[in-house]
Amino acid sequence: MVPNGNKPTFLNFLNKKGKKGKIEKVYNNLLLTLKHTDKTQTNPNLIFNNVLTSLKPKLKIQKISRFKSLIKPVKKSQQIFTALKWLTESSKLLKTDQVSSITNEIFNTLYKKSQSYRQKILWYKSVQQLKYTLRPRKFKKKTNKPHKNVKAI
């Protein structure tokens, strides 16, 4: 199997009450169902990683004051956290058992039809909207005139 660097972050994200064994069973069942339901027989870790990379946000809006905001890049750890948050929140809306709802959300995300993918699109629309409303800074033109107190020779 391909080493999965997202496994510990996924387990820590789902772990609410400190029961690591239950969450590992959920993760293993998730990988098994991904393996059995995928018709192309690709590695389930690759599917999971592809979904997370397609959901990772690259930019965010950071408020400076009440009227000013900046567009900043998102840190890698925050990218994974946000992608997992979108994935799990949208899978909870399906109201089925945890493993099947997450697998449905993963496959819908691969085909760009999921609720979590729509959240990413809305995120980028807000960033683009702010990008076009920001005004470029106006700089004063520098002149070669001497300062008032300096006498010309």
Side-chain angles (χ1 to χ4, degrees), residues 6-23:
N6 295 323
K7 179 182 177 181
T9 55
F10 183 71
L11 293 178
N12 289 337
F13 187 80
L14 286 181
N15 199 357
K16 299 290 182 191
K17 297 180 181 176
K19 301 196 177 186
K20 190 176 179 183
K22 274 187 173 182
I23 301 300

